[in-house]
Amino acid sequence: MYKPPYDYSREMTKGGENHIISKKALATLLGRSLSTISRMIEDGRLPQPMRTPKGNVGGWLMPTIVNWLNQQSNN
């Protein structure tokens, strides 16, 4: 009986507290455009995202964003 290999990246995007949030999902969450999210990354207003081996934005772990949001509300 064939059992497909464990797909870690698919598992991480399913949900739960440790899932990966994409740039598009973060833009929706924050009520900002994708270009604004890009500018926020470039000028350091957002934490650096995880990147793919080719350098493309892969997203953020949800706890990273939650911590960042908590810091923003404390300022």
Side-chain angles (χ1 to χ4, degrees), residues 19-48:
H19 74 280
I20 296 171
I21 185 167
S22 68
K23 186 176 174 181
K24 185 175 181 178
L26 183 60
T28 301
L29 177 72
L30 299 178
R32 304 281 194 263
S33 69
L34 288 173
S35 58
T36 298
I37 297 296
S38 293
R39 281 192 301 274
M40 290 174 76
I41 294 167
E42 288 174 19
D43 65 18
R45 289 183 282 162
L46 268 174
Q48 285 295 311

Side-chain angles (χ1 to χ4, degrees), residues 3-75:
K3 182 178 179 185
Y6 181 74
D7 188 344
Y8 185 74
S9 61
R10 185 176 303 264
E11 191 66 30
M12 289 298 290
T13 57
K14 275 187 179 177
E17 66 182 50
N18 267 343
H19 74 280
I20 296 171
I21 185 167
S22 68
K23 186 176 174 181
K24 185 175 181 178
L26 183 60
T28 301
L29 177 72
L30 299 178
R32 304 281 194 263
S33 69
L34 288 173
S35 58
T36 298
I37 297 296
S38 293
R39 281 192 301 274
M40 290 174 76
I41 294 167
E42 288 174 19
D43 65 18
R45 289 183 282 162
L46 268 174
Q48 285 295 311
M50 297 182 296
R51 297 195 179 266
T52 65
K54 291 187 177 184
N56 299 323
V57 171
W60 296 260
L61 287 174
M62 193 59 175
T64 302
I65 297 303
V66 170
N67 289 338
W68 177 80
L69 287 169
N70 288 336
Q71 289 174 354
Q72 299 307 304
S73 65
N74 291 334
N75 290 337

